[in-house]
Amino acid sequence: MTEITPAPDTDLRPPRSQWLDVWDQFKTHRGALWGMGFFVVVLLAVTIGPYLWTIEAQFIDIRARNQGPSFAHPFGTDQLGRDTLSRVLAGGRVSLAVGITAMLLALGLGTLIGVIAGYFKKLDGPLMRFTDLFLALPLLPLLLVIIMLFRDTLRAAVGPETGIFILIVLIIGITSWMQTARIVRGDVLALKEREFVLASYSIGTPARRMILRHVLPNVLSPIMVSATLGIANAIITESALSFLGLGFPSDFPTWGRLLFDSTDYLQQYPERVLWPGLAISLTVLSVNYIGDGLRDALDPRIRGR
Amino acid sequence: MFNYTIRRSLLAVPTLLLISLIIFLLLDLAPSDPTANLPLTIPPEVREKIRQSLGLGDPIYIRYILWCKQFFINEPLNILEHIFGWQIGGDRLRVLSWQTRSPVVDLIVQRLPQTLWVVGLSYVLGIVIAVPIGVISAYRQYSWFDQIGTFISMVGFSVPTFFTGVLLIVIFSVWLGWFPSIYDTTHQVTDWSSFLVQVKQMIMPVSVLALFNAAQISRYMRASMLDNLNQDYVRTARAKGVRERIVVLVHVLRNSLIPVTTVIALGVPQVFGGAIITEQVFKVNGLGQLLIIAIQGGDVPVVQTLTFIFALLIVLFNLIADVLYGVLDPRIRYD
């Protein structure tokens, strides 16, 4: 019978995973915690909020138009008597959906190109020149041009709402992957020189498994940080497009569109721009704070202290 | 360094040609018809003739080469003639706007001063605000000044300019009535009172953009100062008894400004792009508004030329940033 001898006291500490350490460090960043809390609240509000606040966002009550805040309409109503609170909730749904999907698309593209460029030496030059070319394109003018060109075609093909959603997500995703690709490529290049990669290479690991098993998990931290920046960027770009009148149509509210529509009534009802504007600003602020906290928490040089 | 500059400039030429080709091809896909806004009474064959006169009948590569010739050869020659009063050759074809039938470059020259004043002033102002804030924030890290400074820069960096702009209009022109909400570009500065009116209408657009720029630059400034403050040369300088003011303002500041200068150079084209939105908020009829009108009207030559000028700015300032970095930091000379 073999008996397990108890290890010395120092080794008895419960095992800690890396992510627990990261969380501990993340918790020390006050702004990041607040940002996380706020972002979760916003996410919950736009997902389950419309079930609790049951007024339809499109419901027109023309007798109750242009009202100030009241119990029936906490945020007031617009020029057609539509409830602003439910419109802000519905708009948030679209804005956040656009932000998150566009971020995922940009992240996927950026990671793919970054990993391939960093891992395969032959493709490095062409892919990075390609990235430089994209970085040299004037993005906002091009986004506007592309929307003008393809809006009607897509609208006819898959319906007005899905069409514009797909278009906006696609163009934001396609035009914002470059930073991620550059960061990932740099990290992959550094990783390739490490001993464990050499060891893995020497036992004949194929490239595909090498990338999935050894490279990708180790470049996860820069990817996560650029994910947060990507959400913030996508939300701002979408609202900017809607604000220029080239995003979603008026009957399909997003935060940017609501802000744009409210600016027509700036002289008479100046308080109306407040809600969508605050929603965009606070969400982006909270996401940026989460990014700041994540960057600190994922940096091993800072985490140790 | 000189060789490097030459090589980079030469490399920029194919990049720019490629970008112009991409923009051209993208615009060529446009289903928009330049004659769509004309009265419906025009018979189809006349309509077709109008299209031919706009040059739409030619194959795409001829139109592209023609545009290149007009933009890269004819227009620079025109500008030279205009500046020096020379006469080079006879009449040249120019890039014409479909909406106004006037040369695109003339339209741009008309719009440029407004954009340059608002955007340029706000960028300079942003830098002037950002550098001291970054320096003090880093020097007194975690002090109340640093806490407030980083918070404000985070807010300025997160809140989009179209919301800050609208908010300023609500507060200062709707509620307080101090400043006009619409920028009047026909306003002429002739005497002191008209100068004051000009200043009043510029305050809001400039401060919106300045806040945004200052927020970004001060973050870089702070990070760069923090990097340098812990360096050995700072300890050496202090150890040999250099006064603290000189250590910070001469030794550390000069070294920290190196990366910040490149960030500032790289930011210039983005500011032009971002100004599209601010111009729209305050109704400044600058380059951004010209672009929006042209896009809405399907005015392909204007969109093509303006978008390409934005691309030109990006490539140019990337080059400037790279060369500046080498000039300022002797460790990074690319020889």
Side-chain angles (χ1 to χ4, degrees), chain A residues 128-142 175 177-179 182, chain B residues 8 11-12 14-20 22-23 266 269-270 306-319:
Chain A
M128 282 299 112
R129 293 295 80 73
F130 182 64
T131 314
D132 288 346
L133 181 70
F134 257 82
L135 280 170
L137 290 174
L139 293 180
L140 193 59
L142 273 190
T175 51
W177 53 268
M178 292 84 72
Q179 301 298 343
R182 281 187 150 185
Chain B
R8 278 295 309 265
L11 251 174
T15 316
L16 282 174
L17 278 178
L18 195 60
I19 290 174
S20 72
I22 292 175
I23 297 171
L266 286 177
Q270 268 148 30
L306 264 182
T307 317
F308 182 70
I309 287 177
F310 282 124
L312 195 77
L313 281 176
I314 296 178
V315 173
L316 182 72
F317 278 96
N318 264 318
L319 185 71

Side-chain angles (χ1 to χ4, degrees), chain A residues 2-300:
Chain A
T2 49
E3 261 182 274
I4 301 161
T5 50
D9 264 1
T10 47
D11 287 347
L12 265 182
R13 280 182 309 178
R16 294 181 59 80
S17 76
Q18 188 197 354
W19 294 109
L20 217 58
D21 281 348
V22 169
W23 173 241
D24 277 352
Q25 176 67 37
F26 187 79
K27 274 192 300 190
T28 63
H29 196 303
R30 287 250 301 287
L33 267 190
W34 275 103
M36 186 93 144
F38 183 80
F39 192 63
V40 170
V41 168
V42 170
L43 268 185
L44 284 179
V46 301
T47 43
I48 60 173
Y51 298 106
L52 301 176
W53 186 254
T54 47
I55 300 181
E56 253 309 288
Q58 307 300 354
F59 179 70
I60 293 174
D61 182 5
I62 201 75
R63 270 182 288 183
R65 68 175 188 271
N66 293 333
Q67 279 184 357
S70 63
F71 278 110
H73 305 286
F75 287 6
T77 56
D78 69 357
Q79 72 278 7
L80 293 175
R82 293 176 292 195
D83 181 55
T84 306
L85 174 58
S86 57
R87 279 171 73 75
V88 168
L89 291 177
R93 237 181 203 194
V94 182
S95 285
L96 285 181
V98 167
I100 292 171
T101 11
M103 175 276 288
L104 287 177
L105 181 65
L107 216 59
L109 264 177
T111 311
L112 184 74
I113 291 183
V115 166
I116 292 178
Y119 194 82
F120 301 104
K121 216 171 196 165
K122 267 184 197 160
L123 293 172
D124 189 17
L127 279 179
M128 282 299 112
R129 293 295 80 73
F130 182 64
T131 314
D132 288 346
L133 181 70
F134 257 82
L135 280 170
L137 290 174
L139 293 180
L140 193 59
L142 273 190
L143 287 182
L144 297 175
V145 169
I146 298 175
I147 289 181
M148 272 315 273
L149 299 189
F150 296 104
R151 189 164 54 175
D152 298 329
T153 335
L154 259 176
R155 199 179 268 175
V158 282
E161 280 143 30
T162 358
I164 197 89
F165 184 85
I166 293 174
L167 182 63
I168 287 189
V169 164
L170 266 183
I171 57 170
I172 294 178
I174 288 175
T175 51
S176 52
W177 53 268
M178 292 84 72
Q179 301 298 343
T180 319
R182 281 187 150 185
I183 298 169
V184 168
R185 169 187 171 263
D187 276 27
V188 171
L189 280 179
L191 266 181
K192 258 175 65 183
E193 305 300 321
R194 299 274 288 274
E195 285 83 358
F196 71 92
V197 175
L198 184 68
S200 174
Y201 185 68
S202 65
I203 58 170
T205 317
R208 187 173 53 85
R209 201 170 313 142
M210 187 91 102
I211 288 172
L212 290 180
R213 268 287 175 75
H214 299 295
V215 175
L216 266 186
N218 281 301
V219 292
L220 212 58
S221 16
I223 294 177
M224 281 171 67
V225 174
S226 50
T228 57
L229 296 180
I231 293 187
N233 174 41
I235 291 178
I236 285 196
T237 313
E238 183 273 318
S239 355
L241 292 176
S242 297
F243 185 79
L244 292 175
L246 282 165
F248 287 90
S250 182
D251 51 352
F252 191 55
T254 71
W255 285 338
R257 185 74 214 190
L258 289 177
L259 187 61
F260 177 60
D261 289 346
S262 318
T263 51
D264 293 341
Y265 297 87
L266 209 55
Q267 295 288 338
Q268 297 97 326
Y269 309 103
E271 70 282 353
R272 206 178 276 168
V273 295
L274 212 59
W275 300 114
L278 270 182
I280 300 172
S281 310
L282 288 177
T283 310
V284 171
L285 187 66
S286 70
V287 172
N288 277 338
Y289 262 120
I290 296 174
D292 247 25
L294 259 184
R295 189 185 347 231
D296 287 357
L298 291 169
D299 189 343

Side-chain angles (χ1 to χ4, degrees), chain B residues 204-215:
Chain B
M204 284 202 296
V206 168
S207 53
V208 164
L209 275 174
L211 175 74
F212 187 71
N213 298 328

